[in-house]
Amino acid sequence: MVPLHARTTQHRQAELAKTASNAAQADLTAKTALIIGGGAPNSALMAGALAAFEDKGIRFDVVSTSGAGGLVGLLWLAPKDKTPAQALKDWVGSYVADPIYDVLPVDYKVFYKPGPMAEAWRNWLSGLPGAQAIVDQSRQDGIQRLWSDWIQLLWATASPSSLNSSDVGLCARVPWAESLIDFDRVKDITPFFYLNAYNVTHKIIDDFPKEQITLDHFRAAFAFPFIYGPYEVDGCEYYEGASRDCLNFKDVVEKHPALETIVVFDVLGVDSLIRKPRNLYDSWVLSMIIPLVKVAEDNLKLFALQYNKGWRRAEGAKTDLLVVPFDVPEAHMDQVLDWSHSNGQRLFDIGYRSALEFLATEGRDL
């Protein structure tokens, strides 16, 4: 058994080695950065904000992502067979029609059954004539979406599964990722781009740069405990980066010490997410989200006050630290983690509107 102090020393040594590595490859050209934090259920909020940035032509020198932020960031910068605006808007289609979700509050369109038999079933379905037209909701109205989601529920129900007590995760590992993201294009993204994951083997956050990111790295960055379980890449086991560092400031500022403006999407560091659950399923969702609320909140405050020396350069801070305020009405906070279509569309619209309001006051800094 390794003593606690030895594990602490190992972690500290890894941090110091990483700081030295970051300094050795530091870039002095980047002036603006966007940090997109984690938060899968309310990812539509971040998608809406990025859609507004896209419509207004906003670009950054650096984009750093964590957890679900990596998904929306890649939908924006490397979508597959779609424009960035359309890919971001279509993410709302991953949410489930309300009449179904009200009875079965599970997003079976994002979380699939695991195992080789389930994978073979999905591959067979995808080859059926008309299957893609059923799944593609980009031009479907409410009744058509309900019909599409009903068919997909039947497919999900009929899917075989090899899940057993020896498995380390409930779900197949993001089998939809390749249909949404063009991983061959990621290396050609214009800004510096990072996707973080927690390296369980070496007890350190790894930031995968765009030149390195593949489907395997994406799966490692989404390896949330119990949902997917750890994922191995290059001999190391990984968990989702957001489970350890939701906002990933450290590496961004060490690799790009000349930054003047940092914009932050933080959808987790909000105390109003901590509430009484509505039912047993809601309790399970909150059991994953509530610990991340404090992590995200502490990450932001610690960076602002200890490392950035404040929030504004005019007041002595190293960089202008600008947090996009997502104005979710209090009346909707109980549903903000739902995977219902109405919630997804509402979050997208709120994100879009919040980003436009942010740009109206802070756009000059970008």
Side-chain angles (χ1 to χ4, degrees):
M1 182 175 180
V2 181
L4 178 61
H5 68 84
R7 294 199 298 268
T8 304
T9 299
Q10 178 190 8
H11 182 268
R12 180 58 179 163
Q13 290 174 341
E15 287 280 356
L16 292 174
K18 191 175 186 185
T19 295
S21 175
N22 289 342
Q25 55 183 317
D27 156 73
L28 300 178
T29 63
K31 302 300 180 184
T32 62
L34 173 64
I35 293 182
I36 313 177
N42 40 19
S43 53
L45 196 63
M46 299 183 286
L50 286 178
F53 280 7
E54 175 67 17
D55 286 350
K56 293 299 181 180
I58 301 299
R59 295 292 182 267
F60 296 88
D61 300 322
V62 180
V63 177
S64 177
T65 67
S66 182
L71 167 64
V72 295
L74 290 172
L75 288 177
W76 182 37
L77 297 171
K80 188 167 187 176
D81 301 329
K82 293 182 179 180
T83 66
Q86 190 63 54
L88 291 164
K89 182 179 179 181
D90 286 352
W91 177 243
V92 177
S94 67
Y95 289 67
V96 176
D98 286 47
I100 297 175
Y101 193 84
D102 289 344
V103 178
L104 183 67
V106 177
D107 194 343
Y108 50 87
K109 299 194 295 181
V110 172
F111 304 103
Y112 290 77
K113 293 179 182 178
M117 291 187 297
E119 183 178 2
W121 170 257
R122 290 191 296 270
N123 290 337
W124 178 76
L125 285 174
S126 65
L128 293 178
Q132 183 55 40
I134 293 174
V135 173
D136 184 5
Q137 298 187 353
S138 59
R139 294 180 176 85
Q140 295 178 1
D141 60 23
I143 297 299
Q144 291 170 326
R145 282 199 308 272
L146 176 58
W147 177 78
S148 168
D149 284 0
W150 174 250
I151 296 299
Q152 291 182 70
L153 174 58
L154 294 179
W155 290 347
T157 303
S159 171
S161 172
S162 61
L163 184 68
N164 60 72
S165 61
S166 65
D167 288 332
V168 295
L170 284 177
C171 302
R173 298 182 184 277
V174 293
W176 37 262
E178 285 183 291
S179 66
L180 300 179
I181 299 165
D182 189 341
F183 286 98
D184 290 335
R185 287 179 49 208
V186 172
K187 63 181 181 301
D188 298 320
I189 288 174
T190 299
F192 292 93
F193 184 90
Y194 304 100
L195 175 62
N196 82 342
Y198 182 66
N199 189 322
V200 180
T201 304
H202 297 302
K203 315 301 181 195
I204 195 74
I205 286 284
D206 281 349
D207 293 289
F208 304 131
K210 61 184 180 182
E211 296 84 2
Q212 185 181 6
I213 295 172
T214 64
L215 177 60
D216 279 334
H217 296 91
F218 188 82
R219 286 173 172 167
F222 265 69
F224 199 88
F226 189 60
I227 301 296
Y228 300 118
Y231 190 76
E232 183 176 341
V233 178
D234 297 331
C236 294
E237 298 284 348
Y238 285 93
Y239 274 131
E240 178 177 315
S243 65
R244 185 69 171 81
D245 189 341
C246 296
L247 297 174
N248 205 35
F249 286 113
K250 177 182 182 293
D251 285 342
V252 171
V253 297
E254 288 181 352
K255 291 180 178 179
H256 305 280
L259 287 173
E260 297 176 355
T261 303
I262 299 176
V263 176
V264 181
F265 286 1
D266 176 21
V267 298
L268 288 177
V270 182
D271 284 337
S272 52
L273 288 175
I274 304 175
R275 54 173 174 76
K276 181 180 178 179
R278 305 192 305 271
N279 49 48
L280 188 61
Y281 177 79
D282 198 31
S283 294
W284 176 58
V285 173
L286 287 173
S287 72
M288 294 181 283
I289 295 298
I290 287 177
L292 300 182
V293 171
K294 187 62 175 174
V295 172
E297 188 177 46
D298 286 350
N299 285 351
L300 182 58
K301 289 180 179 178
L302 182 64
F303 175 75
L305 300 179
Q306 183 172 342
Y307 295 102
N308 200 50
K309 308 302 180 184
W311 297 87
R312 294 281 186 172
R313 287 190 298 155
E315 300 169 356
K318 294 179 180 178
T319 67
D320 286 324
L321 185 60
L322 311 176
V323 180
V324 176
F326 293 113
D327 187 20
V328 180
E330 191 64 31
H332 295 310
M333 287 307 297
D334 280 2
Q335 295 87 41
V336 77
L337 299 177
D338 289 354
W339 285 98
S340 65
H341 187 272
S342 62
N343 182 55
Q345 187 61 62
R346 179 168 55 242
L347 291 178
F348 185 91
D349 294 341
I350 291 172
Y352 191 93
R353 183 174 63 251
S354 297
L356 291 182
E357 293 171 355
F358 169 82
L359 291 176
T361 58
E362 305 290 357
R364 64 184 181 278
D365 294 321
L366 303 178

